[in-house]
Amino acid sequence: MAPPVSSQTAPSSGFPVRRLRRLRRTPALRRLVAEARIGVDDLIAPLFVREGIDAAAPIASMPGQYQHTVDSLLVEAKRLISLGVPGLILFGVPVVKDPTGSEAWNPDGIVQVALKTLRQAVGDELVLMADLCLDEYTDHGHCGVLGPDGTVLNDATLELYGRVALAQAVAGADVVAPSGMMDGQVTAIRSALDAQGHDQEAILAYAAKYASALYGPFRDAVDVTIAGGGDRRAYQQDPHNRREALMEIAQDVAEGADMIMVKPAMTSLDVLATVRRRVGVPLAAYHVSGEYAMVQAAAAAGWIDGPAVALEQLLAIKRAGADFILTYFAAEVAEALGG
């Protein structure tokens, strides 16, 4: 028996009855049927605050980004509010670094001072997130304390993460964001916060943070050099592996992470899409410094339309399943969207 004629085909002409281009004909039609959208509410701005400088310092490898003073940081935060950006995440650059990164939990450390200033000035108008790691604060550039053989000590580092989380929460952070990829970091941080009555502060876990070559400009921004030319491949996620990343994410969710993050974004779209199908907690993606710098460099050379490419990349991240995106393009995109 011959198969029935498809209702999608006009037998007389052989052309399809359904023409998908019909819904692409005008900008208004395309907007009407768009499956994924980028809005100002999807954006978080990563910002750097540096101790011991008198004016905001441009970051050469990240055009348009700065190491801020506390005062210039406050100006930028108010600009983000005016654009409708809902939050920012802070990274600190201290004057003093030591083997344990003790400035990370110093109540008078640069991030804590910045958080206090922001909280007093903007109240709850911005979600204040704080990156929780030790690499910016250690003299060896690793994300934890080192053993005699130079190996990062997982469990000894967890105790210090708890101190950092508490210092950030006391200073005014709404969200602490552990990025060191230590096993058990979410449990350690949640326990430290809850024990001191900070059960309302949320944890955004860098749950699948790949050991990527795309972090170079960021390390310029925070003045981090890993001692001896080393790397973080022994504790950050292996770029070869997707299933392992899913186990990392499942573990952080089981330990009580309120939100999870995948990083870098553009090279992890497969992970984002799979995670979105498997977990219910809010999912973030970090459009990292190298991804930003490549767009800026190509745009400066006249090879691409920088703003259009930036928006296209963020849309791809959103389409893959991210609920919100940490991106250095946050203010620029918010302006473009009419924030």
Side-chain angles (χ1 to χ4, degrees):
M1 179 183 295
V5 176
S6 169
S7 62
Q8 299 301 317
T9 302
S12 60
S13 67
F15 288 106
V17 172
R18 169 168 287 180
R19 295 178 182 261
L20 297 177
R21 286 179 54 191
R22 290 185 186 120
L23 299 182
R24 305 173 193 150
R25 187 172 54 84
T26 68
L29 277 169
R30 293 193 293 273
R31 290 202 314 271
L32 179 68
V33 300
E35 297 174 30
R37 304 174 191 272
I38 284 287
V40 175
D41 290 343
D42 300 320
L43 307 173
I44 297 292
L47 297 176
F48 305 97
V49 59
R50 178 166 191 153
E51 191 174 27
I53 59 174
D54 298 323
I59 302 167
S61 57
M62 298 177 67
Q65 302 301 305
Y66 296 85
Q67 293 176 328
H68 284 283
T69 66
V70 173
D71 288 342
S72 69
L73 177 71
L74 180 55
V75 171
E76 181 64 11
K78 290 181 177 179
R79 182 169 82 104
L80 293 172
I81 291 171
S82 73
L83 292 170
V85 175
L88 59 82
I89 184 166
L90 277 183
F91 299 86
V93 188
V95 169
V96 176
K97 301 188 180 191
D98 61 32
T100 61
S102 61
E103 283 298 298
W105 64 85
N106 180 354
D108 297 318
I110 184 61
V111 163
Q112 282 70 257
V113 170
L115 285 169
K116 290 174 187 175
T117 301
L118 290 173
R119 180 59 70 210
Q120 291 170 0
V122 306
D124 292 329
E125 291 186 86
L126 274 177
V127 176
L128 300 183
M129 301 182 177
D131 178 75
L132 196 168
C133 199
L134 299 178
D135 59 324
E136 298 107 296
Y137 304 92
T138 57
D139 53 14
H140 46 73
H142 277 290
C143 299
V145 292
L146 303 183
D149 62 353
T151 301
V152 175
L153 301 176
N154 190 95
D155 294 2
T157 297
L158 294 182
E159 193 272 331
L160 301 185
Y161 282 7
R163 295 187 196 181
V164 180
L166 186 58
Q168 293 174 345
V170 169
D174 297 299
V175 180
V176 298
S179 59
M181 290 295 289
M182 297 294 120
D183 292 333
Q185 62 185 15
V186 173
T187 292
I189 290 166
R190 185 76 272 157
S191 297
L193 289 172
D194 291 358
Q196 297 298 321
H198 287 277
D199 58 338
Q200 296 302 303
E201 285 78 6
I203 297 174
L204 167 60
Y206 288 65
K209 179 181 179 181
Y210 283 96
S212 173
L214 289 165
Y215 303 151
F218 175 89
R219 290 176 186 167
D220 292 342
V222 294
D223 288 352
V224 168
T225 301
I226 301 176
D231 58 45
R232 298 175 180 149
R233 294 183 182 276
Y235 48 98
Q236 291 183 352
Q237 177 67 41
D238 186 345
H240 294 87
N241 297 343
R242 184 172 67 95
R243 294 193 304 271
E244 184 181 42
L246 300 179
M247 289 189 285
E248 289 277 7
I249 289 163
Q251 182 167 315
D252 280 0
V253 172
E255 290 181 14
D258 301 283
M259 301 177 282
I260 55 175
M261 186 197 300
V262 175
K263 175 185 179 182
M266 289 303 299
T267 55
S268 306
L269 295 180
D270 60 324
V271 177
L272 278 170
T274 302
V275 173
R276 178 71 294 156
R277 293 192 295 269
R278 295 193 180 192
V279 304
V281 300
L283 173 61
Y286 199 147
H287 189 241
V288 300
S289 61
E291 294 167 327
Y292 172 86
M294 287 191 292
V295 173
Q296 294 286 50
W303 297 334
I304 63 172
D305 179 337
V309 171
L311 193 59
E312 186 175 332
Q313 289 190 353
L314 297 183
L315 182 60
I317 297 164
K318 184 74 174 175
R319 191 176 66 232
D323 293 304
F324 60 95
I325 306 168
L326 286 71
T327 175
Y328 301 98
F329 286 113
E332 180 180 329
V333 170
E335 287 180 331
L337 294 174

